[in-house]
Amino acid sequence: MINRILFATDLGIYNPYLMSQLSVLAHSTGARVDLVHAIEPMGVFAESILSIYMTPDDQKHLRNSGMPQVMEHIRQQVLDSLKVEIDEMPNKFTISDVIVEIGPPSDIIIKHARQCRSDLIVIGSHSGQGDGEAMIGSVAGKVLRKASVPVYFLPTACLREGL
């Protein structure tokens, strides 16, 4: 029985398609939906830019105080934009929680699937980035390999190719 679904999204170009598929699944099962949006950690380049333009104290303040505020702002924007999308769907459903976290996306998804006690993870095959040659994106592949619950894998290659 599917009581709780974790929907992993990068909010990319395929999100409306993924949301429409999720709405049918959530509506038919009556499951609660938690959404997770992972943000890649800053790379070496971004860190070096910060070190050039910010004092060490400002950098520390940003990490300790500023980033939680930024993350909450992103979380609220995600929730607000998804509510608009959901309201336009024929199969409405409720998002129980929106989780926005910085870290490697596959690790964040797996961690929250466990924490939320998800019965199912819903994820798209690709983010819409890259060259499209791979059958499966790197994040989706890692989630499939690491998940301890079933993964509802939505192919997006057909959308890329206009099929």
Side-chain angles (χ1 to χ4, degrees):
M1 177 141 226
I2 300 172
N3 294 312
R4 199 143 185 192
I5 298 170
L6 182 71
F7 174 50
T9 180
D10 66 354
L11 304 171
I13 61 172
Y14 301 126
N15 200 60
Y17 163 74
L18 299 173
M19 290 284 293
S20 69
Q21 298 298 310
L22 174 65
S23 73
V24 172
L25 181 62
H27 184 76
S28 66
T29 61
R32 291 176 54 188
V33 176
D34 298 299
L35 182 139
V36 64
H37 175 62
I39 298 173
E40 291 277 356
M42 280 195 289
V44 174
F45 179 73
E47 291 283 348
S48 67
I49 294 294
L50 285 180
S51 69
I52 292 170
Y53 293 104
M54 296 178 78
T55 67
D57 286 344
D58 288 343
Q59 291 175 51
K60 183 178 179 182
H61 176 73
L62 175 64
R63 286 187 178 83
N64 294 337
S65 301
M67 285 310 290
Q69 290 175 331
V70 169
M71 297 303 289
E72 179 54 31
H73 183 71
I74 292 170
R75 191 186 86 70
Q76 193 58 53
Q77 282 189 317
V78 168
L79 186 56
D80 292 346
S81 68
L82 292 177
K83 281 182 181 177
V84 170
E85 267 188 65
I86 291 168
D87 286 344
E88 296 174 1
M89 294 181 180
N91 298 309
K92 295 184 182 3
F93 64 98
T94 302
I95 295 176
S96 298
D97 194 12
V98 173
I99 302 151
V100 178
E101 189 172 325
I102 296 173
S106 60
D107 294 344
I108 300 291
I109 294 164
I110 296 302
K111 175 177 115 178
H112 286 289
R114 287 186 188 119
Q115 286 180 350
C116 295
R117 295 190 174 128
S118 303
D119 301 305
L120 181 70
I121 298 170
V122 174
I123 190 169
S125 63
H126 294 86
S127 67
Q129 300 173 2
D131 62 11
E133 293 297 317
M135 291 182 62
I136 182 172
S138 62
V139 172
K142 289 174 187 174
V143 169
L144 282 170
R145 285 190 298 278
K146 295 177 180 180
S148 60
V149 297
V151 178
Y152 189 68
F153 180 74
L154 296 165
T156 56
C158 61
L159 298 171
R160 272 177 212 244
E161 298 161 9
L163 302 175

